Amino acid sequence: MALEQDILKLLREEGYRINEAIRDALDDFLSVVEEEGDEMVEDLEEDFDDEDDD
């Protein structure tokens, strides 16, 4: 995943050490962000469909 690699690169540039716990937390965070983004898109599509029905 490109976003994950970009975040890891930024963390390294700031001097943070990357270990397995950081990688796991980042994976979990990105999973939540992706799920929430998908739900937002679905909600927008439903709202758009509802407006078309009116």
Side-chain angles (χ1 to χ4, degrees):
M1 174 179 264
L3 181 58
E4 180 179 4
Q5 295 304 316
D6 290 343
I7 293 171
L8 290 172
K9 181 179 175 183
L10 289 171
L11 290 171
R12 283 188 201 106
E13 287 175 359
E14 291 294 321
Y16 293 99
R17 293 181 184 202
I18 307 301
N19 59 25
E20 189 173 336
I22 298 293
R23 286 183 183 273
D24 289 344
L26 182 56
D27 287 341
D28 291 344
F29 171 73
L30 292 175
S31 293
V32 169
V33 168
E34 186 176 318
E35 289 172 12
E36 291 295 322
D38 290 344
E39 287 179 18
M40 287 175 38
V41 168
E42 289 173 5
D43 290 345
L44 287 173
E45 289 172 348
E46 287 175 9
D47 289 345
F48 185 72
D49 289 342
D50 289 345
E51 288 177 3
D52 286 345
D53 291 342
D54 293 339

